[in-house]
Amino acid sequence: MTSVLAGPLSAINYAEPWYVQIIKALLIFAIGFSLVPLVLLYERKLLGRFQGRPGPNRVGIYGSMQPLADIGKLLFKEQFKPRGAIGWLFIAAPLISMVAALATFPLIPFSGAPQEILGTKVGLYGLDSDIGLLIFFAFSAIGSYGILLGGWSSTSKYSFLGAMRGAAQLISYEAAQGLALLGVVMTTGSLSLSEIVDKQDHMGLWFLVPQIVGAFIFFVATLAEINRTPFDLLEADSELVGGFMTEYGGGRFALYYVAEYVHLVVAGAMFSTLFLGGWNIPFWNGAPGFLDPFVVLAKTLVIVSIIIWIRATLPRLRYDQLMSFGWKILLPLATLNALVTAIVLVAL
Amino acid sequence: MDEILFFVAGIAAIVAAAGTVFLRNPFYAVLSLVVHLLSLSMLFLLLYAQFVAVVQVMVYVGAVMVLYVFVNAYVGGGSEPEGGGGPSLRMFSYAIAITLIVTIGIAVLGTGLQAIDGSGPDDIPASFGSPGEIGKLLLTKFLLPFEAASFLLLVAAIGAVVLARRRRGVLPGEERMVAALDLLAPTGTGSMREGVGAINPTPGGFSARITPSTGAGTLPASDDRTGDDSEGGSR
């Protein structure tokens, strides 16, 4: 058991005893899950403010119980599927989405050196692998199957169109997203997320400054990858009803919904890890270790707020605009960024 | 734990590979191939080749197979297999298949017989299978095959473009250079002036002012605002 858990995937950094790993796994799952209703409420409140209305304010104090009411309602609804749907795929697709979304959360490092908790040294990350960044991309690739299969197995035209758009969009923006990070990876010399943060610590400079182009491309491509406005073409409520999840209801719809918000949180955390220095607090080098997770969460919150702000501001792109923007602007720009970074790195 | 995972992944890989060949519905065949590739990456992981495992998922499962699923879902649909091709094509495919089997057989038997005497590597260096190590090998020992493979991919990409142009793609007459200005939104796009029809943003970066030939004259900039509201817009 230890050879797999402590072996290939976490080869470089500190690996804990097996019971700590199991506790950590459960804890990360719980934290990831409990962030979802918070972000859900935050988004609805913030959207309300942007649109000059109070947002949810009836359930609980200040509307605080609204997400629980939403999720509760969804879970107690009838499970149905369309007559022509392919049963097992229809059931499996939201699960794939959910699992792939949650699997990326443990990759986020929440602190630098392992922290001492109750006498045991514990690294505040699920998995600190030397290929953490690639694992992130691998799981987001698997996540696209959840959308694709869900839309296809519903045997509905709206679902199908949404899923097909999703497939094309995810492939197109995955390339730009990966290339945009090449600058960061080259500067660090590693694919490990905690080493990327360490490098920013040592440089005393967040990657946002030297890699501003990469950060921009990564941010835009991530918006497309997690299907947020203005790239929410696979849902496109005004033209496709609900896109790939048109035929879903009840608990299965809730799975898609929760996966979307997990993606949102992970996107924010990933951006703050890669470009905003992770747990690093500017101009304060001797910050105590217990602050680290809160710093990461605070930076995540900033990014999530920006993403919600964008949702409140921008209209949806047209499909051809989406494609030409991805291939003709983002991808060349990302390649150029990688090239320039390489030249600068060699020249220095 | 390792042994259990190995057998689970190995059996899944074999079953899924068989499914890819024998399933009638092309969509399910592709899904079966996806399962096969995932189990293969599991096997790579057990061999301490974590980089290869993850890249396998990223490239094959994430990009190539999504494209297969995409194409199959769009144009597939029929569960009937396509026609078997001519006799010459059949002979050619048999020849290819047999060559492939022989080559793989030699490779597997060769390394397998070599390894059966040994006891496996005693200790694997920490850098084994790391991206840095693989990158070093690709740029030193395997430089020529690496470059040849990337050249092959380049040829394939150009071929795809040529084929797409011949099918339908771009006709000779409609081919034009895309200027950088075309990609920018024309000035005034999405503005209130466009909304009321005072200007007409055209691609190329400029907005033509509309001068209505009939009815009301040009819209004055300042006085008209009150008039608009009193008409009861869709606010």
Side-chain angles (χ1 to χ4, degrees), chain A residues 266-308:
Chain A
V266 170
M270 199 47 98
F271 189 88
S272 42
T273 302
L274 291 170
F275 293 103
L276 299 183
W279 55 80
N280 172 295
I281 307 175
F283 310 118
W284 189 16
N285 272 332
F290 67 86
L291 276 182
D292 291 354
F294 299 103
V295 175
V296 176
L297 282 179
K299 287 175 181 173
T300 305
L301 185 68
V302 171
I303 299 298
V304 167
S305 309
I306 293 176
I307 294 177
I308 295 171

Side-chain angles (χ1 to χ4, degrees), chain A residues 66-287:
Chain A
Q66 184 66 42
L68 290 186
D70 278 353
I71 294 173
K73 185 198 87 172
L74 283 175
L75 289 184
F76 287 111
K77 277 175 101 170
E78 183 194 355
Q79 298 276 0
F80 66 93
K81 67 180 174 69
R83 199 178 294 149
I86 294 140
W88 61 277
L89 271 182
F90 190 75
I91 295 167
L95 289 176
I96 296 174
S97 254
M98 184 77 207
V99 168
L102 273 176
T104 49
F105 192 66
L107 297 171
I108 313 286
F110 279 97
S111 90
Q115 302 288 318
E116 186 111 359
I117 299 175
L118 299 178
T120 331
K121 284 176 92 183
V122 178
L124 296 188
Y125 41 74
L127 185 75
D128 182 28
S129 165
D130 56 347
I131 46 169
L133 207 50
L134 295 180
I135 298 179
F136 169 68
F137 279 111
F139 275 113
S140 58
I142 293 177
S144 64
Y145 278 92
I147 291 169
L148 204 58
L149 296 181
W152 186 78
S153 64
S154 305
T155 51
S156 141
K157 288 194 177 63
Y158 295 123
S159 306
F160 181 71
L161 279 177
M164 290 304 112
R165 279 181 182 188
Q169 172 179 334
L170 293 175
I171 288 184
S172 311
Y173 279 77
E174 209 174 48
Q177 197 187 20
L179 267 176
L181 291 182
L182 223 51
V184 170
V185 172
M186 276 191 290
T187 318
T188 313
S190 168
L191 289 162
S192 152
L193 287 167
S194 65
E195 275 191 24
I196 286 175
V197 180
D198 277 341
K199 177 75 180 176
Q200 300 178 65
D201 243 350
H202 292 152
M203 287 200 308
L205 188 68
W206 293 354
F207 274 134
L208 183 68
V209 181
Q211 287 291 324
I212 179 78
V213 181
F216 166 76
I217 298 166
F218 180 75
F219 185 73
V220 175
T222 305
L223 280 187
E225 285 284 311
I226 63 175
N227 316 327
R228 296 289 303 191
T229 333
F231 301 105
D232 59 343
L233 276 101
L234 34 169
E235 249 177 86
D237 355 30
S238 55
E239 32 182 319
L240 291 185
V241 189
F244 65 96
M245 45 169 133
T246 305
E247 304 294 340
Y248 280 93
R252 289 172 198 146
F253 174 76
L255 278 184
Y256 272 133
Y257 206 58
V258 168
E260 206 167 289
Y261 281 93
V262 173
H263 274 310
L264 179 61
V265 174
V266 170
M270 199 47 98
F271 189 88
S272 42
T273 302
L274 291 170
F275 293 103
L276 299 183
W279 55 80
N280 172 295
I281 307 175
F283 310 118
W284 189 16
N285 272 332

Side-chain angles (χ1 to χ4, degrees), chain B residues 22-24 43 65 82 89-90 132 144 159 185 193 202 226:
Chain B
F22 292 117
L23 280 175
R24 283 295 189 188
L43 290 176
M65 288 333 271
E82 293 284 315
L89 191 66
R90 186 162 291 205
L144 193 67
R193 286 160 65 75
T202 44
T226 49

